[in-house]
Amino acid sequence: KRRLAFVSGTPWGFVKSDGRYLAYQKLVREFGMEEDPRLVVDGDYPITKYFELGYRAGQKLLREQIPFDSVFCMTDMIAPGVVRALAEFGKKVPDDISLFSCDNVQLSGMLSPSVSTLEGHGKELARLYIQYVLGQVKKFPEHFTAEFIRRESL
């Protein structure tokens, strides 16, 4: 796989500093993949809901004929929309396009194909955020651990 698309769902101002986008950039560089800013698709969540954002992002990539062979979705809730758009263009996951996302919500394991995902530590992040807001923590750690859950989409 050489061309990895990133579907965020949030506006670009938020995307460029999000840890998941930074991880995407790091993956692209570390594995010598082609860097193409057209492969990063932002959105307008919460105005548009996640499924619709994923659907629109998938359509955009395919309609504009931007070549890609894999997709990293910012959250599992975006993935079903991307899969639907791919199917409408005759693309199959994982045969034509690989897909993975983050959060390990229950839905990701119930889809067909089931979606490979990264499960982070949401409770730990929430606790840190509250401590930060209260002034108990001066800065966030640069690294968090996550568990990779491989399913049918890869």
Side-chain angles (χ1 to χ4, degrees):
K1 304 291 180 182
R2 305 302 313 161
R3 296 188 48 89
L4 175 62
F6 180 79
V7 178
S8 79
T10 58
W12 176 245
F14 294 105
V15 174
K16 64 184 178 184
S17 62
D18 184 86
R20 295 172 193 198
Y21 174 68
L22 299 174
Y24 161 80
Q25 286 183 309
K26 185 178 178 184
L27 280 170
V28 167
R29 289 187 188 115
E30 274 185 25
F31 292 100
M33 296 178 183
E34 289 183 52
E35 291 187 58
D36 183 343
R38 299 175 306 157
L39 291 173
V40 178
V41 184
D42 62 355
D44 61 357
Y45 182 84
I47 295 167
T48 304
K49 299 303 179 207
Y50 281 135
F51 176 87
E52 185 68 21
L53 288 167
Y55 181 70
R56 288 181 189 172
Q59 285 184 318
K60 177 184 187 319
L61 290 165
L62 292 160
R63 231 185 359 257
E64 295 180 11
Q65 299 181 344
I66 301 167
F68 66 100
D69 51 24
S70 51
V71 179
F72 176 8
C73 297
M74 189 174 200
T75 176
D76 291 337
M77 301 305 290
I78 290 174
V82 174
V83 171
R84 169 99 183 246
L86 293 171
E88 287 180 4
F89 278 80
K91 304 287 184 189
K92 293 184 179 184
V93 175
D95 299 340
D96 302 313
I97 308 284
S98 298
L99 184 135
F100 67 100
S101 58
C102 295
D103 297 332
N104 192 30
V105 298
Q106 187 176 17
L107 175 67
S108 64
M110 299 169 70
L111 295 171
S112 183
S114 57
V115 176
S116 299
T117 187
L118 292 169
E119 181 171 17
H121 299 283
K123 289 179 184 175
E124 177 187 351
L125 288 173
R127 181 183 52 77
L128 277 171
Y129 180 73
I130 291 168
Q131 289 176 321
Y132 177 77
V133 169
L134 296 173
Q136 297 172 355
V137 173
K138 298 296 179 209
K139 72 176 211 173
F140 277 73
E142 291 186 29
H143 303 284
F144 288 96
T145 57
E147 177 185 358
F148 179 68
I149 300 166
R150 185 182 182 100
R151 294 189 177 119
E152 298 165 337
S153 66
L154 288 180

